[in-house]
Every structure is written in C-alpha cells, then in structure tokens.
C-alpha cells in the first residue's frame, strides 16, 4: 500500500511538533500499522529553524497551492483563523478530493456545517480532534463513543488562559488586572487577550461541540457569552467562603424550552473535578441517554498533546476510516431552537455593595421578591474572615433556581436604589452532578 | 446499501437492552447514518419476556449456529465467560468471515491476542468497547486517540462492586463482612463475590487494557492481584485520618525495570477524583507521551451505558471502519517483560497492633531500618479521634518509596516479634498525579 502523503499548512508550535513527529519519529505511525509521509509544507516564514531537516519536503508559499498539489493526499491545516488562507486551503483541498485534518476551531465554528457537507459530497474525511480540548479525545467520544446515545448536555472548561488567571487570583489573592498581566508576562495570555478572557475561544469550541454532539448548527451569536473580565478578587474570596471556585464554563444543554448555549464564569463546587482544572487543563462533562454521565479531563493545549491528537486523525485517514464528519450525516444537521439567556434557569450569586447594609437588605429582599426570586443564602463577609482584605461592606446572596432574565432585572432594580454603593455583581452558580 | 445484519448471542440485561435499542429505537442508528437490522438471536431461555416482539427474528438454540448463519454479518457476543459457548461462537464467526462485537473481558484477557490475529487475518472487525469500563470510551481513547503516543501508564478503578463495599464501609463505619452482605442483599455483589472482591474482574480488564494500550500480551497470572477482603474498618478510618480513601485500583505501568501489572487496594488522596468513584463509577487515568495526562470517568456498568458502547461498535462495523484490533497490528503484539510485585516501588501504609506500643516502636523502626525502609509518618490513632471505635492499640506507619518485597519482609519480621498482637496490615499508597 502506498504511503498517505501529508501536506502540512502552518508550522507554528503544533505544526512544528507534528512535523518532527512525522519526520523524526515516523516509526510511531508504522507501529500503528500505517504508512504516512510528509511531502509538502507551507508556512509564513520559510527560513525559521524547525528543528528538523526539511530539504526533502516540497515547500509552498501558498497553502492553497499546497492543498492542490498532486503529491498530497491529506492536508493538515494548522494556520488558524475562521477565514483567510486557512479556509481557502481547506476548501481547495476538499474540492480537489483530498482528506483534511484541522485544529481550527474558529473555522469549524463558522463554516463547519458547510465544510462537512462539502467533504461528505466529495467522500473525503474532515477530522478535527485537536480543534477542541487539545489532547482530550472528546470529538471521538461524542461522534463515535456516544453515536447511538442522545446527548443532552455537553459542559466543560475549555479555555486554559482563563483557568490560569482565575487560579492565580484564588491562590495569590490577586485582582483580575494583576493576574492577567502575570499571564501575559509568562506567555499564557496573548497581548490582545480578548479572545480568551472574553469567552470567544470557549464559545467557538462550544459551537463545534454542538455541531458534533447535538447535530445542530449554531452561530457564535447564538451563544450567550460573558468573559471573566468582571470577576473580582472579592468574588473569588466570597465563592471560596461558600465552598465554590470560579471557572469560565461552556455549556450546551437541551431543555424542553430549547437549546441553551452559553459561556460565562460560574461558581462550581470546590470539591468537583471542574474546580480542579488548572492552567492548560480542560474538562468536559457529557450527559447522554442511555450512555450516562461521562467526564473527560486532560491537556487542552500544548504542542505535544495537540500534535498527538492531529496524528490520531492522520492515522484514521490512513486506515481508511470514513464516517459522517459530525455525529450525524451533514444533511441531517439542522438549525437549533435556542433558549435565550434571559429564559435560562440558574441559581445565582449576587455580591452587593450596600451603603447601609442592615437597612438596605429589606430593600434588596423586596426587589428579589418583586421578580419572584427566592433567596437560598445571605452572607455578610466580615473582615475577620479574610484578614487584610476588606469585603466588609458586601452582602452576598445566593438564589434558588430562577430565570436569569428576572435575576438581571432584580439586580438592575437594586443598582438603581440609593443604597447601592457600586454596580452589583451577578455570577451564575452551576451545580454539576457528581 | 444493504443493512448490516446483526446476530446477538446472549440476551441478559445488556443483550436485552441492545435488542430493544435495535428493534424499538432503530432510528438512532439511522440518524447516525447506518442501516442495521437484528436478524438472529440466541440465549439460554427462549421463553423469557424481553420486552419486545422477537417473532420476526430467527432464533438459535446454539450460538455457534447463529455465528455461522448466512443471514448474519456481525455477531454481537454477550454470553460471557473466557471459554465455552462465547469463545466458540466468536471463533466460528471470525472463521466464517463475520465481524464480531463483544463485551467479554474474560475471553479477551485470555485469548485476545489470538483472536486479534485471527480477525486481522480474515479482515474482519473485532471490537470490544464495552468489555472494559462499560460506558467509558476508553478502548477508543487508547486505541485511536493515543494511537501515536507512547502510553506509559494506564491506571484506574475498574470494579464497581468493590467501590460500593469500600464506600459503604467508609460512610457507615461497617466492617467488610457487613458491607459485603449489604452489597449482596442489594444485588451489587454476586452470591459468589470472589471474582469482584478478589480483584479478578479488575485484573481481566487490566490485561485487556495492556493488550490494547501497551501492545503486550500478559496472562492473568502475570498480574499481581490482591482483593479487598482483608481491608478492615480500622484501615478506612486510619486512611481517612491521613487524608486518604481506599479503593481497589488496577495499574499497568512501564518502568525501566519492566512492566508493572497489578490490582490491589490502595490509599489514594481523598481529594483526587479517583477517591470520588462510587458505586458503578469507573475511572481511568492514562499517561502518554506526547499525549499527556488524561482522565476518564463514567459508568463502568449498567445495561444502558453498556448497550450504548456495544452500539457504538456496531456503528463502526456498519461504517466500514477497519483498523488493527488492538493499538498495533496483531503481529506486533509481544510478550511483556514484567516487573515482579516484590521489586515494584511503592509507598506503603502499615497498621500494626502492638502489645506495648511505646516500647515496641523501637523494634518496629529497627525492623524497617533493617530493610532500608524509611518512615514517612507514624501515628497512634486514639480512641478520642474515632469515638466508640477502638483503634487505640494500633500504630499506623506510612513509608517512603521502597521495594514492596522489602516492606513485606519487614512486616513479616515485625509479625514474628513477641510485641505483635495481630497480623500487621500492609496496603500500598498510590500518589496519583493531579
């Protein structure tokens, strides 16, 4: 059997790791029973040292030309970005009848359904294990492991940068700006961190998981997204006192009213594995029927795990594995009936700064009652509990389940009252099973 | 495309759930883009009500005849047992060029390598996601997700009965015999529980994971197996005081000295997800390079999750997915170089009953020193710590890493000294990452 000829478009840290794996450690592929060879590469900078001799590999300045090369059977796209050269190369590859392996979550989130249709029409593979949660084989688990189960919920922590910042805030008592600065200094956060801390990166991944797991097409605009920028040191301290940690979570959940798709910071029980995710760790919880409750935890990023996931896809291509790109064949992918954020039910955490706390609490309780929101707990964190960190003027309330829109209205009403000293904080509480 | 014709041999709880899924809920398979039909069934009792009309399905008294039927393309073996009718049916199916899906861990542990060779020679699929950890797609994660990574460790909790008994002992302060009796009364443990509580069930699963993950053939006799029968209520209490829970763990680990394959009770950090496994939950930790550290947790048993896993395999067969049965092609499967239990390194927990504790401790310390074992901690649990539960005469020692054989020798020396009031207890401590 002839070797599967691989063209790699994009040679950043993951592309470089993959290139070295294929060229210097090809025996690993042979041990898996497949014959694969890199025949073409493309990147922005031809001269950069990639730690391996590439003189025997054809160079392309243009990734689209690489995708069309007759010496390439499978294009590995590691350029990134929803459109531009990445999408052009992938579309060209599919049109030319070549298999595609990609780690590009943004492209899949925006054009996944269309690309799946194109690939299935051409009878080629389009695999993307590395696009979501790096080294965790979640796409396989959803697409194949749960192929016959009805997935009712996909939830998790999908962004390592936010983990890092929130863990640092908790561990060192830092405020958000200082923790972000530290993350940038260490290279965990980009100079422009909005994609990560603003929740867009996690939302892209959630859209891809929805496409694979629920078989529905949602746009980024369908996801209600809140970032972690407004999480304060005080919230981390108060959450801790209540037995919670704060993480940026992504949730896709089928309800009788429609599909919830949301990314936001949430209080999660400190004892739950989700609260244990640190740094580049990702975690995913799947609920399916009759599959049950599944938890997957592992590296969400990093060149090694990501290159390993890309390699797993390459091996599937080489083995001739052909199935629907998503969980169901592309023609069955439908638009989703979404449940808007305001109608989603949630327990909530409120941190209020009240000028005259004892007197104001009656007003707060009335505002909540006016919106039919019942109070689960009320706490006035004292200085004594957190020596040297003044949260004395705060009142922290947790609510029972309520429509988020009603909680928001109540919070707005509280903010408008004269006893409110600062903008109230509202963070959802997510009670994960197990 | 013609339907994939399924013959199910064995209609217990899992077989019954699968049968209903295929007959009453076939749309789930159609939604996944495959056309599958049950054409034949076989079980011990033809008359039992299986909650579905099977009059349109051919009945076979003999599963081997079912396996040879010209109306069957894929045999699903759910009979169980390493040999007998299960193995006869699977061998007959492969010989007849039919695909096989099985949940039979005992058969795979004893004959997996030979069956893999036979299936690959015939060019048929042999899939077994449900054989290990029920609804957790661990076989996929190992065989495909980590296809190019070198797996260095596979560890986990693979037996739900032991979870149940150990959790009950911890939660209710029961002794082992009472907890076992309770498990039997509720149907969590068999009348003859030795397979589960003696560690054989977990060892079978570990051998299968070793075959898939390490690509090595080991026999049950190669696994050092200890059950949970000797774990006492006092051990659970003392472990708790030290910040640990006790679980029956299975570990396959590559070391420079050879492969460790072992099943035994162990102290695991109470904060680790492994200590949180309750009832039918299973958990698996994978270490691989460059894949990193992966944790999978979910239902290890139950008709729904198991039937879901079997269905995932059926879908792979229907989609024409063909790869090596194990992680590497069968001819590459080699015997393992094993590291015997006595030479394995471990931290250990010792609970000693000493007649005259203060005076005897010097003797104990000397016995440990004689075997070059250094003490990490020493504790004398007092009655006060566990009101009403007398562990006052106990001395609990935790050691630093030492060869298990040396610890055993030291324990034997201590047992032989006149100050030993009862057989010393020795349980390993396993410090899992994360």
């Amino acid at each position: 059997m002839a070797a599967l000829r691989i063209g790699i478009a994009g040679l950043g840290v993951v592309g470089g790791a993959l290139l070295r794996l294929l060229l210097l450690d090809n025996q690993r592929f042979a041990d898996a029973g497949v014959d694969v060879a890199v025949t073409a590469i493309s990147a922005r900078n031809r001269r950069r040292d990639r730690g391996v001799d590439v003189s025997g590999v054809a160079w392309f300045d243009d990734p689209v030309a690489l995708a069309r090369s007759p010496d390439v059977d499978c294009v590995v796209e590691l350029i990134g970005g929803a459109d531009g050269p990445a999408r052009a190369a992938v579309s060209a590859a599919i049109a030319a009848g070549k298999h595609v392996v990609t780690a590009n979550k943004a492209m899949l989130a925006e054009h996944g359904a269309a690309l799946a249709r194109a690939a299935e029409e051409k009878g080629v593979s389009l695999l993307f294990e590395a696009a979501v949660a790096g080294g965790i084989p979640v796409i396989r688990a959803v697409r194949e492991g749960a192929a016959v189960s009805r997935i009712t919920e996909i939830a998790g922590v999908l962004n390592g940068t936010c983990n890092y910042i929130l863990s640092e805030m908790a561990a060192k008592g830092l405020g958000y700006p200082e923790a972000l600065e530290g993350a940038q200094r260490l290279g965990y956060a980009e100079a422009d961190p909005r994609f990560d801390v603003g929740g867009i990166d996690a939302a892209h991944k959630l859209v891809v998981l929805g496409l694979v797991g629920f078989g529905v097409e949602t746009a980024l605009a369908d996801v209600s997204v809140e970032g972690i920028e407004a999480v304060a040191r005080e919230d981390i301290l108060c959450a801790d006192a209540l037995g919670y940690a704060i993480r940026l979570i992504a949730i896709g959940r089928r309800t009788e009213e429609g599909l919830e798709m949301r990314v936001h910071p949430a209080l999660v029980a400190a004892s739950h594995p989700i609260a244990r995710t640190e740094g580049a760790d990702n975690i995913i919880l799947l609920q399916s029927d009759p599959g049950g409750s599944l938890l997957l935890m592992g590296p969400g990023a990093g060149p090694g795990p990501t290159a390993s996931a890309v390699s797993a896809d390459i091996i599937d291509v080489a083995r001739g594995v052909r199935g629907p790109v998503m969980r169901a064949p592309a023609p069955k992918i439908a638009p989703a009936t979404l449940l808007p954020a305001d109608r989603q039910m949630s327990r909530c955490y409120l941190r209020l700064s009240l000028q005259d706390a004892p007197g104001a609490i009656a007003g707060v309780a009335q505002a909540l009652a006016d919106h039919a929101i019942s109070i689960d707990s009320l706490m006035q964190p004292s200085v004594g509990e957190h020596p040297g960190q003044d949260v004395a003027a705060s009142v922290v309330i947790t609510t029972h389940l309520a429509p988020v829109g009603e909680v928001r209205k109540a919070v707005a009403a509280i903010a408008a009252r004269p006893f409110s000293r600062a903008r109230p904080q509202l963070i959802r509480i997510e009670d994960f099973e197990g």
Side-chain angles (χ1 to χ4, degrees), chain A:
Chain A
M1 207 172 73
L4 180 81
R5 296 167 307 168
I6 310 286
I8 307 176
L11 293 173
V13 284
V14 174
L18 176 68
L19 184 68
R20 288 187 293 278
L21 207 50
L22 282 161
L23 287 175
L24 303 177
D25 224 354
N26 197 277
Q27 187 61 37
R28 288 175 184 248
F29 293 85
D31 286 345
V34 300
D35 187 0
V36 297
V38 190
T39 53
I41 53 176
S42 171
R44 249 186 282 176
N45 179 353
R46 181 161 189 177
R47 270 164 236 297
R48 197 203 288 174
D49 179 13
R50 295 182 164 99
V52 56
D53 175 17
V54 292
S55 57
V57 182
W59 174 271
F60 288 84
D61 285 322
D62 176 10
V64 174
L66 175 145
R68 291 191 180 131
S69 161
D71 295 329
V72 168
D73 304 312
C74 174
V75 174
V76 178
E77 186 275 304
L78 299 170
I79 301 168
D83 294 284
R87 188 180 170 205
V90 167
S91 300
I94 293 171
K98 296 173 198 301
H99 306 292
V100 172
V101 173
T102 175
N104 190 331
K105 55 197 168 281
M107 179 185 69
L108 290 163
E110 303 209 3
H111 311 292
L115 291 171
R117 274 191 292 276
E120 288 177 20
E121 276 163 21
K122 278 285 183 177
V124 298
S125 288
L126 170 58
L127 299 173
F128 51 92
E129 185 63 77
V132 179
I136 306 177
V138 61
I139 303 297
R140 272 179 175 66
V142 167
R143 190 183 54 208
E144 291 148 34
V148 89
S149 269
R150 183 179 154 85
I151 295 180
T152 52
E153 182 171 336
I154 306 174
V157 169
L158 301 173
N159 183 279
T161 307
C162 292
N163 275 352
Y164 179 82
I165 292 172
L166 294 169
S167 317
E168 284 288 292
M169 288 171 73
K172 302 189 181 155
L174 301 180
Y176 172 77
E178 300 86 63
L180 171 61
E181 215 180 279
Q184 286 172 318
R185 218 170 26 238
L186 289 167
Y188 292 127
E190 309 284 330
D192 177 358
R194 283 173 296 178
F195 232 62
D196 289 313
V197 298
I200 305 299
D201 173 76
H204 274 149
K205 292 167 182 166
L206 181 63
V207 167
V208 176
L209 288 173
L211 201 49
V212 189
F214 299 129
V216 300
E217 194 174 358
T218 50
L220 193 60
D222 295 329
V223 183
S224 58
V225 180
E226 265 174 67
I228 62 164
E229 303 96 327
V231 175
R233 191 188 60 183
E234 289 75 10
D235 298 315
I236 305 233
L237 294 170
C238 294
D240 184 61
L242 290 162
Y244 293 97
I246 298 182
R247 286 291 178 274
L248 182 80
I249 60 167
I251 298 192
R253 182 181 288 160
R254 287 188 208 266
T255 74
E256 287 182 14
E257 323 272 310
L259 184 69
E260 294 184 10
M261 293 284 276
R262 50 189 168 99
V263 170
H264 53 78
L267 275 70
V268 292
S271 62
H272 193 280
I274 218 165
R276 295 168 57 92
T277 47
E278 306 272 341
D281 273 353
N282 278 192
I283 193 168
I284 290 149
L285 310 170
L286 282 181
Q287 298 287 347
S288 74
D289 173 59
S293 176
L294 188 65
L295 182 157
L296 310 170
M297 189 170 177
T306 311
S308 173
V310 170
S311 300
D313 283 349
I314 291 174
I315 287 176
D316 273 2
V317 171
R319 282 178 182 166
V321 174
R322 304 283 175 269
V325 173
M326 304 303 171
R327 197 150 161 276
K332 288 182 194 266
I333 295 171
T337 307
L338 287 149
L339 183 67
D342 277 355
R343 287 174 51 215
Q344 295 167 9
M345 301 294 288
S346 184
R347 290 179 60 217
C348 292
Y349 153 99
L350 309 177
R351 181 171 52 81
L352 311 170
S353 285
L354 305 179
Q355 210 142 24
D356 168 16
I361 283 172
V364 168
Q366 188 55 51
L368 292 170
D370 289 345
H371 292 86
I373 297 155
S374 64
I375 294 175
D376 178 34
S377 76
L378 187 149
M379 155 179 116
Q380 287 190 269
S382 71
V383 176
E385 275 177 75
H386 307 288
Q389 289 158 330
D390 177 13
V391 290
S394 292
V395 171
V396 169
I397 290 173
T398 61
T399 75
H400 285 292
L401 274 183
V404 171
E406 293 305 304
V407 181
R408 286 177 178 162
K409 282 183 207 162
V411 164
I414 292 165
R417 294 293 296 274
F419 54 68
S420 267
R421 223 173 51 171
R423 208 175 74 87
Q425 174 70 292
L426 158 57
I427 306 178
R428 299 197 197 186
I429 302 170
E430 203 61 43
D431 295 302
F432 291 105
E433 198 188 272

